[in-house]
């Protein structure tokens, strides 16, 4: 892959080191599991979904996918192609206000569970 | 069973591709059993949310190879249930799992654990299977689908169209029994036939405006002009008594006679007063109320005459309901247990709330671009008119899932108590003619007063109703599934199209208690303003700028654009 942009190849969270598998889970993992267990992750996803629809981000992505599919011909496109092509654009065009709101929600969740 | 999935399938109006060789191979090897077995692992949480795959409700799925639980795409193998991540081009443990030499072939098909969608690791693409999708839809709810099943089975056969022209005997009958319209009077002026002013009989513009729209409602006009309700015959059979359809017949004859002098619908007004005694006065009335009441009047008469149980929404009733009635579907889902109760209600129009003033919020922009099919309005204003209410916006609100909060709890049949619930409306069956009534008259129970909302509403000349149909709404709820939602299969046969054309707009100017109704008619793509006795040709920009109160759209196949001229001349 000659086309490298940090945003595509960046995994959402750092990989767990293979040799640390038997050790204690990382803080990030603990938070993730806590969020799943309490249902907060599901709520956050729903909130994010709503916000992205509201600000027109989803429609924008839909249009990009459509344009790409039209260009390539609908029988020559796979979901993986689309994810690969659209992900960097999608990450880059999320409005800062949405990011800020989500971060705020995660912070307040952490604060409420830490006590 | 397996042969069934081999054709190109058309469900919910969409073409689904043939299964990929790996899916076909998987089905040949395992049959449909794995897809049904997955039903036990399908969790929909919270009710109304998305379907996910979990072996037990508290499972935190993680990739078997790297142990990561936070990957965005985690797949469970349909053959051995191993969970792996997929993050190309970085790493794809699911692809490794599929091609691993330790496994026998047949591990290519996997299911996305958070989305409950099938994926083929060899094709790197989403795949569709009807048994799997049926299991997902079933997990969402058991009640919805079964309630509409019996109806799906009934498929009506279409009758081929054959052009008709009178033979010699019929021609002779027509000549001896009809009084042909003097062709010289028809060519008087350039106005199309049927445009005739209506005199105001004392604050009756509410009636005139609706009547003008009805005179030019294609299926209604064709019904009366082809003598399907003959007033002489009706009266000789039933005796002389009040019959709104007879008065309609008389008015249609008068309006289409070619005479251009304004007509006074006094007889009709008198009959309507008898029908709706509470509205019989020379006061101003609501045009929409009149519309409902007069359709009722026509319907009631037929009901009395024929004494057959009639199913209003099914289109085998009186002319009023055959033209205007559709079926609304309403789903109420309990937020505690997910049980959904579905009801179907006939309707003769769609009463829509105006969107609350949004003053530049981005909300309307997103709802607008949702419907690229309704392109006319779309391309024009997505940039310049932020915050302008549109008819599509109103329809979006109308079909949006609405949370019924703690103050309006709904009785859940399964929980046997009142619960918070989610309500969503959609259109099960479209009428031939859709009348949209915009609720411009607002009653505030708090301030104990009513007021009129003067806000501008943009309406397209061509409207696609597909996004508001039950099949589309349910698809939005369950995802893209190979599953006939809400009898979509039979609908595709019965309903030729969801495309509509605007042909009349009833507008209101003035205040709540004193105002004036004017109708704009679109005939052969030219607009005419009908203001009581006066009829004038107007530019379409005037119509676009008008404050619509009732909008009449007809199914596109009934809207005659250019051919109408030839017929009348």
């Amino acid at each position: 892959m000659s086309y490298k942009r940090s945003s595509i190849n960046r995994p959402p969270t750092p990989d767990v080191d293979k040799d640390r598998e038997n050790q204690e889970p990382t803080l990030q993992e603990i938070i993730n599991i806590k969020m799943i267990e309490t249902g907060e992750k599901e709520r956050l996803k729903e909130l994010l979904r709503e916000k992205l629809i509201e600000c027109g981000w989803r429609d924008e992505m839909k249009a990009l996918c459509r344009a790409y599919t039209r260009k390539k011909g609908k029988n020559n496109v796979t979901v993986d192609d689309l994810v690969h092509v659209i992900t960097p654009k999608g990450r880059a065009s999320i409005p800062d206000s949405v990011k800020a709101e989500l971060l705020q929600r995660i912070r307040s969740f952490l604060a409420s569970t830490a006590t | 069973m397996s042969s069934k999935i081999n054709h190109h399938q058309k469900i919910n109006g969409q073409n689904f591709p043939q299964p990929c060789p790996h899916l076909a191979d998987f089905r040949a090897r395992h049959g449909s059993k794995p897809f049904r077995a997955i039903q036990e692992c399908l969790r929909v949480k919270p009710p109304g949310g998305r379907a996910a795959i979990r072996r037990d409700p508290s499972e935190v799925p993680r990739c078997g190879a790297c142990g990561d639980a936070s990957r965005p795409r985690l797949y469970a193998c349909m053959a051995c249930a191993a969970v792996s991540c997929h993050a190309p081009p970085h790493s794809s443990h699911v692809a490794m799992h599929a091609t691993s030499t330790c496994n026998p072939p047949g591990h290519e098909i996997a299911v996305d654990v958070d989305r409950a969608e099938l994926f083929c690791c060899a094709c790197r693409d989403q795949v569709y299977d009807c048994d799997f999708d049926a299991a997902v839809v079933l997990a969402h709810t058991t009640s919805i689908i079964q309630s509409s099943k019996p109806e799906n089975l009934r498929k009506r056969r279409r009758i081929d169209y054959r052009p008709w022209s009178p033979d010699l005997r019929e021609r002779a009958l027509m000549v001896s029994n009809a009084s042909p319209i003097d062709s010289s009077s028809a060519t008087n002026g350039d106005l199309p036939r049927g445009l005739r002013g209506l005199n105001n009989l004392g604050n009756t513009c509410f009636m005139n405006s609706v009547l003008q729209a009805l005179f030019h409602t294609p299926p209604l006009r064709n019904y009366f002009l082809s003598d399907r309700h003959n007033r002489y015959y009706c009266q000789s059979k039933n005796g002389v008594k009040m019959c709104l359809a007879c008065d309609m017949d008389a008015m249609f004859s008068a309006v289409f006679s070619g005479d251009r002098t304004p007509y006074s619908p006094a007889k009709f007004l008198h009959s309507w007063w008898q029908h709706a005694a509470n509205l019989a006065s020379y006061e101003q009335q609501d045009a929409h109320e009149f519309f409902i009441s007069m359709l009722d009047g026509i319907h009631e008469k037929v009901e009395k005459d024929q004494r057959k149980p009639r199913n209003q929404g099914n289109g085998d009733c009186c002319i009023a309901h055959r033209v205007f009635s559709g079926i609304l579907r309403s789903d109420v889902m309990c937020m505690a247990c997910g049980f959904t109760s579905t009801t179907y209600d006939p309707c003769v129009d769609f009463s829509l709330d105006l969107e609350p003033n949004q003053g530049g919020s981005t909300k309307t922009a997103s709802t607008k671009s949702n419907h690229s099919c309704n392109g006319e309005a779309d391309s024009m204003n997505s940039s310049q008119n932020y915050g302008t209410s549109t008819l599509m916006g109103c329809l979006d609100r109308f079909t949006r899932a609405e949370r019924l909060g703690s103050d309006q709890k709904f009785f859940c049949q399964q929980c046997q108590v009142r619960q918070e619930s989610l309500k969503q409306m959609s259109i099960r069956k479209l009428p031939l003619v859709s009348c949209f009534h915009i609720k411009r008259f607002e009653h505030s129970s708090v301030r104990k007063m009513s007021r009129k909302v003067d806000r501008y509403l943009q309406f397209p000349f061509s409207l696609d109703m597909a996004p508001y149909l039950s099949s589309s709404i349910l698809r939005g709820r369950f995802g893209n599934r190979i599953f006939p939602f809400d009898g979509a299969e039979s609908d595709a046969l019965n309903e030729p199209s969801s495309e509509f054309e605007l042909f009349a707009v009833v507008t209101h100017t003035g205040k709540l208690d004193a105002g004036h109704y004017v109708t704009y008619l679109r005939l052969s793509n030219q607009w005419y303003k009908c203001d009581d006795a006066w009829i004038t040709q107007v530019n379409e920009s005037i119509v676009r700028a008008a404050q619509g109160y009732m909008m009449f759209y007809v199914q596109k196949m009934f809207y005659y654009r250019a051919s109408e001229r030839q017929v009348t001349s």
Side-chain angles (χ1 to χ4, degrees):
Chain A
M1 283 282 139
S2 59
Y3 179 66
K4 283 219 177 191
R5 248 180 80 167
S6 56
S7 49
I8 334 167
N9 298 318
R10 186 189 67 199
T13 45
D15 277 323
V16 186
D17 280 343
K18 282 272 174 342
D19 50 355
R20 284 187 56 193
E21 240 171 63
N22 299 328
Q23 293 180 15
E24 282 187 8
T26 61
L27 182 63
Q28 216 137 13
E29 265 213 304
I30 296 173
I31 294 173
N32 184 38
I33 288 169
K34 200 93 199 155
M35 291 219 284
I36 294 172
E37 282 171 355
T38 53
E40 179 70 4
K41 192 162 182 177
E42 211 40 62
R43 283 193 290 275
L44 283 175
K45 277 192 194 166
E46 194 45 53
L47 175 78
L48 179 61
R49 229 171 254 143
E50 239 169 64
K51 291 284 158 198
L52 290 179
I53 291 172
E54 216 169 85
C55 70
W57 181 88
R58 190 185 65 163
D59 291 329
E60 206 180 305
M61 291 307 114
K62 220 188 232 175
L64 283 175
C65 291
R66 257 178 213 193
Y68 181 77
T69 313
R70 207 164 293 144
K71 201 176 84 190
K72 285 276 173 179
K74 69 172 181 193
N75 295 323
N76 307 321
V77 176
T78 66
V79 170
D80 268 14
D81 294 341
L82 280 176
V83 170
H84 179 74
V85 173
I86 305 300
T87 304
K89 295 174 184 162
R91 280 189 198 277
S93 62
I94 294 177
D96 286 341
S97 62
V98 174
K99 292 185 194 167
E101 188 174 349
L102 232 70
L103 189 64
Q104 187 50 44
R105 275 283 296 259
I106 295 169
R107 281 220 176 96
S108 56
F109 168 76
L110 289 181
S112 68
T113 43
T115 53
Chain B
M1 197 73 206
S2 60
S3 70
K4 197 179 147 198
I5 61 162
N6 280 335
H7 330 144
H8 221 71
Q9 288 175 308
K10 196 174 166 100
I11 292 176
N12 298 330
Q14 286 189 311
N15 272 315
F16 281 90
Q18 292 188 1
C20 73
H22 311 98
L23 178 60
D25 183 53
F26 183 86
R27 283 193 66 103
R29 212 181 284 266
H30 303 279
S32 59
K33 219 177 103 205
F35 299 113
R36 297 216 192 91
I38 202 133
Q39 207 163 323
E40 289 160 29
C41 307
L42 280 163
R43 322 266 163 206
V44 182
K45 229 169 108 179
R50 306 206 160 196
I53 307 286
R54 298 286 186 270
R55 272 164 291 200
D56 73 276
S58 59
E59 185 192 0
V60 177
R62 52 179 72 240
C63 174
C66 60
D68 204 332
S70 56
R71 296 290 189 148
R73 295 170 76 188
L74 282 174
Y75 291 93
C77 175
M78 283 301 288
C80 66
V83 175
S84 324
C85 67
H86 181 58
H90 215 55
S91 66
S92 172
H93 292 129
V94 73
M96 278 163 61
H97 172 80
T99 52
S100 160
T101 43
C102 321
N103 288 327
H107 288 248
E108 290 93 355
I109 305 300
V111 56
D112 186 322
V113 297
D114 286 319
R115 295 174 183 86
E117 289 167 350
L118 288 180
F119 187 76
C120 173
C121 306
C123 303
R124 301 276 180 126
D125 205 358
Q126 190 146 341
V127 289
Y128 298 91
D129 182 272
C130 53
D131 289 316
F132 174 78
D133 285 341
V136 175
V137 174
L138 219 65
H140 272 286
T141 167
T142 44
S143 64
I144 287 186
I145 304 309
Q146 268 149 19
S147 68
S148 63
K149 262 258 163 74
E151 262 184 286
N152 295 350
L153 302 173
R154 187 177 48 83
K155 283 185 186 169
R156 241 180 291 163
R157 282 197 53 197
R158 280 263 206 86
I159 297 167
D160 288 336
Y161 169 74
R162 274 182 304 144
W164 174 85
S165 60
D167 60 23
L168 278 175
R169 195 182 58 86
E170 286 164 333
R171 210 176 289 258
L173 269 175
M174 281 156 76
V175 170
S176 61
N177 291 313
S179 42
I181 295 165
D182 181 12
S183 57
S184 64
S185 68
T187 50
N188 150 21
D190 303 320
L191 296 180
R193 197 184 286 281
L195 273 181
R196 187 172 180 182
L198 296 174
N199 286 319
N200 194 319
L201 306 174
N203 281 333
T204 57
C205 59
F206 68 90
M207 175 178 80
N208 290 351
S209 60
V210 170
L211 287 179
Q212 288 288 10
L214 295 181
F215 291 151
H216 296 279
T217 298
L220 200 63
R221 179 198 61 190
N222 295 355
Y223 176 87
F224 281 104
L225 290 187
S226 60
D227 223 15
R228 300 285 295 280
H229 186 102
N230 183 309
R231 58 189 182 279
Y232 305 111
Y233 176 69
C234 177
Q235 274 163 14
S236 70
K237 201 179 85 182
N238 302 316
V240 182
K241 57 179 183 186
M242 192 276 281
C243 172
L244 280 179
C246 286
D247 294 315
M248 282 296 278
D249 187 43
M251 281 194 297
F252 266 101
S253 304
V255 162
F256 283 85
S257 68
D259 187 353
R260 299 284 181 197
T261 55
Y263 175 78
S264 296
K267 175 114 193 331
F268 176 83
L269 179 65
H270 179 71
S271 298
W272 178 64
W273 277 355
Q274 286 177 297
H275 165 71
N278 56 326
L279 300 173
S281 73
Y282 285 107
E283 280 164 34
Q284 298 195 355
Q285 304 290 349
D286 181 19
H288 175 248
E289 203 174 341
F290 166 75
F291 172 71
I292 298 292
S293 146
M294 75 154 288
L295 290 189
D296 245 30
I298 293 175
H299 171 71
E300 228 170 67
K301 176 71 178 14
V302 176
E303 198 85 318
K304 260 186 241 153
D305 284 355
Q306 322 221 332
R307 287 203 192 91
K308 278 185 215 152
R310 295 286 163 144
N311 197 343
Q312 194 197 328
N314 272 346
D316 50 1
C317 182
C318 64
I319 182 61
H321 286 146
R322 276 209 303 252
V323 173
F324 288 101
S325 88
I327 301 176
L328 284 178
R329 168 181 173 137
S330 143
D331 293 326
V332 178
M333 177 188 278
C334 168
M335 292 307 283
C337 70
F339 178 82
T340 304
S341 83
T342 301
T343 50
Y344 295 102
D345 292 303
C347 62
V348 291
D349 68 340
F350 303 101
S351 281
L352 305 174
D353 286 309
L354 266 175
E355 296 169 280
N357 222 340
Q358 279 160 339
S361 108
T362 48
K363 177 87 185 174
T364 41
S366 72
T367 52
K368 228 177 278 164
S369 46
N370 258 339
H371 310 294
S372 40
C373 43
N374 289 327
E376 187 179 0
D378 196 35
S379 54
M380 266 177 48
N381 51 50
S382 53
S383 54
Q384 75 222 42
N385 286 341
Y386 261 55
T388 304
S389 300
T390 64
L391 184 60
M392 279 84 84
C394 293
L395 281 163
D396 276 325
R397 279 175 62 85
F398 183 68
T399 52
R400 198 171 60 185
E402 177 193 8
R403 205 168 280 254
L404 301 179
S406 45
D407 52 331
Q408 37 183 349
K409 284 186 178 174
F410 197 84
F411 185 80
C412 171
Q413 286 172 300
Q414 191 159 292
C415 307
Q416 290 291 314
V417 279
R418 288 182 172 275
Q419 295 281 16
E420 288 196 14
S421 41
L422 201 66
K423 183 184 176 192
Q424 189 166 30
M425 305 286 287
S426 55
I427 300 168
R428 168 75 175 82
K429 179 182 166 288
L430 286 165
L432 293 181
V433 176
S434 296
C435 169
F436 299 103
H437 160 235
I438 308 301
K439 295 184 190 163
R440 289 194 177 276
F441 301 109
E442 231 175 38
H443 301 277
S444 163
S445 50
V446 185
R447 286 180 293 165
K448 288 223 171 58
M449 58 184 289
S450 306
R451 70 186 187 99
K452 192 189 159 202
V453 187
D454 278 314
R455 197 164 338 113
Y456 174 64
L457 179 86
Q458 197 171 51
F459 46 89
F461 286 6
S462 305
L463 176 68
D464 189 351
M465 292 291 285
Y468 319 108
L469 292 177
S470 301
S471 51
S472 310
I473 298 290
L474 292 180
R475 186 165 68 233
R477 202 183 298 162
F478 300 140
N480 213 5
R481 307 283 175 197
I482 306 190
F483 194 90
F485 295 128
D486 195 53
E489 235 174 354
S490 59
D491 280 3
L493 291 174
N494 288 338
E495 272 171 40
S497 110
S498 56
E499 287 172 64
F500 283 74
E501 285 289 323
L502 180 67
F503 69 92
V505 183
V506 174
T507 64
H508 183 263
T509 49
K511 297 265 175 296
L512 177 77
D513 48 343
H516 188 50
Y517 287 105
V518 165
T519 298
Y520 293 97
L521 288 175
R522 186 190 188 197
L523 302 171
S524 311
N525 228 10
Q526 170 61 52
W527 284 95
Y528 300 92
K529 178 182 178 186
C530 306
D531 181 354
D532 286 333
W534 297 276
I535 295 193
T536 43
Q537 193 167 321
V538 292
N539 200 289
E540 71 166 56
S541 59
I542 292 178
V543 182
R544 288 199 194 271
Q547 194 186 82
Y549 178 57
M550 292 166 78
M551 267 77 88
F552 291 82
Y553 285 84
V554 64
Q555 285 204 358
K556 199 167 190 163
M557 60 179 292
F558 289 105
Y559 180 76
Y560 309 91
R561 251 178 223 276
S563 58
E564 202 167 45
R565 265 288 155 100
Q566 292 160 5
V567 174
T568 51
S569 60

